[in-house]
Amino acid sequence: MTADGSGGGGTSSEPETSDSLKTFGSVLKALREEARLTQEVFATRVQYSVHYIAKIEQGKRFPPKDLPDRAEAVLGPLARRVLEAAVKSLTKGAGLASWFKKWAAIEEVAISLYAYECRAIPGLLQPEPYLRAIFDRRLPHLTEEEIEQQVVARMERQRLLTERPNSSFSFIVEQALLERGLGGRDVTRAVIERLLETGTQRNVEILLMPLHQEDHSGFEGPLYLAETPDHQWIGYFEGHDSSTLLTSPKLASSMLQRYGKMRSQALNCQATVSLLEQMRGA
């Protein structure tokens, strides 16, 4: 499985701790203490758990997008501006295995990004309960700190979907991944909610590949494709603790053909939403 593409991570390269996350945590702690607030009081006022705030201040959790907004009412407008500046300085790629970082850098600038997955929900679409379920099942087992680092890294990558509104994202996901129920009913429900929510974005297309599809072109396995700003297509795939970039136009072209074919074989957007709502109800 993958370090930060869709699965649980590689052992060939340990994720790096983010110094910028630690810096953000120190800034938040200093602002809180300047206001003479305990973690408990501050957490209550910004409506997050004490445990969550403690993890952020320790540099072990990525701050939620609305934290500066919530903090303004508690710490003041200056604190909001400081926190917003600190968020912008957070290091991209912290917590990613080294063999994944080349693809992560391509994702950052891609104007089109396509993904087909039959192993796990694509990393950019994984809600926190699902990705924690994945990391909790990693072998060899991860420590709690290592799990937090990788959770932070993946949640940071997911900002691409909202921070790049002019980029086009397309995902084909096997229905079987939802039927599997990894992590239990609550986790599966969280996945369905994330797919439905993300699929409402104008630049995001999410298609389910039905369980029964005799004409299925995805038998060669998962694939990822990115279109660079200069309109070059790059392919990508992963194995156990390893990955490969495909820059050959011929290889990228064949992957594009396969993806295009699968797009026609998958349920369309309306049918996908209907099935997801049906599964959510069940």
Side-chain angles (χ1 to χ4, degrees):
M1 300 302 287
T2 71
D4 211 71
S6 58
T11 58
S12 59
S13 180
E14 291 299 325
E16 301 172 0
T17 300
S18 172
D19 290 335
S20 58
L21 277 175
K22 291 181 179 179
T23 299
F24 181 91
S26 297
V27 169
L28 177 61
K29 181 179 180 181
L31 291 170
R32 174 181 60 76
E33 292 180 342
E34 180 67 20
R36 299 186 177 182
L37 298 175
T38 63
Q39 280 187 346
E40 290 77 9
V41 172
F42 178 73
T44 299
R45 293 186 182 180
V46 296
Q47 299 181 348
Y48 285 113
S49 70
V50 178
H51 177 74
Y52 193 22
I53 294 299
K55 290 292 186 182
I56 293 173
E57 291 189 355
Q58 295 165 12
K60 295 181 178 179
R61 295 295 294 272
F62 198 86
K65 293 179 182 180
D66 61 352
L67 181 58
D69 291 334
R70 296 193 188 191
E72 180 178 16
V74 182
L75 304 176
L78 177 60
R80 173 183 175 171
R81 292 198 296 271
V82 171
L83 290 175
E84 286 178 339
V87 166
K88 292 179 181 178
S89 70
L90 290 175
T91 301
K92 297 290 185 181
L96 302 181
S98 59
W99 54 265
F100 181 77
K101 286 185 176 180
K102 287 184 179 180
W103 178 251
I106 292 171
E107 280 186 333
E108 288 282 340
V109 299
I111 60 175
S112 299
L113 186 68
Y114 298 166
Y116 162 66
E117 267 294 352
C118 57
R119 302 166 302 179
I121 302 299
L124 292 176
L125 298 176
Q126 294 175 359
E128 185 172 347
Y130 184 86
L131 59 91
R132 286 187 178 279
I134 284 178
F135 290 133
D136 190 50
R137 289 159 175 76
R138 249 290 302 280
L139 294 173
H141 295 292
L142 299 174
T143 65
E144 288 298 322
E145 183 175 358
E146 289 171 335
I147 290 175
E148 290 299 333
Q149 289 173 8
Q150 298 213 27
V151 167
V152 165
R154 189 158 302 179
M155 293 183 70
E156 178 183 358
R157 280 183 55 238
Q158 293 176 358
R159 288 172 173 253
L160 290 175
L161 296 175
T162 54
E163 289 182 348
R164 299 188 59 82
N166 294 323
S167 294
S168 176
F169 298 90
S170 176
F171 302 92
I172 300 175
V173 181
E174 290 286 345
Q175 179 187 346
L177 298 179
L178 298 173
E179 300 286 355
R180 180 177 299 155
L182 178 69
R185 292 170 59 89
D186 290 342
V187 172
T188 300
R189 185 177 297 109
V191 172
I192 293 172
E193 293 288 354
R194 170 60 62 83
L195 296 180
L196 286 169
E197 177 186 359
T198 306
T200 62
Q201 296 177 212
R202 293 179 62 190
N203 63 324
V204 178
E205 172 189 69
I206 297 177
L207 308 175
L208 286 184
M209 183 68 75
L211 280 175
H212 304 289
Q213 174 55 276
E214 294 183 3
D215 187 20
H216 191 338
S217 299
F219 55 85
E220 293 187 71
L223 65 84
Y224 289 79
L225 284 157
E227 182 184 10
T228 66
D230 59 356
H231 305 294
Q232 175 189 6
W233 283 94
I234 297 175
Y236 174 79
F237 66 90
E238 299 174 343
H240 290 269
D241 305 337
S242 63
S243 64
T244 301
L245 285 177
L246 301 174
T247 57
S248 163
K250 181 178 180 180
L251 293 176
S253 175
S254 65
M255 293 177 75
L256 277 168
Q257 289 182 48
R258 288 198 296 275
Y259 193 84
K261 187 66 174 178
M262 282 189 286
R263 234 174 177 171
S264 69
Q265 296 162 344
L267 300 177
N268 63 30
C269 291
Q270 183 176 356
T272 292
V273 169
S274 297
L275 179 56
L276 288 172
E277 290 177 340
Q278 177 184 340
M279 297 178 74
R280 178 175 61 180

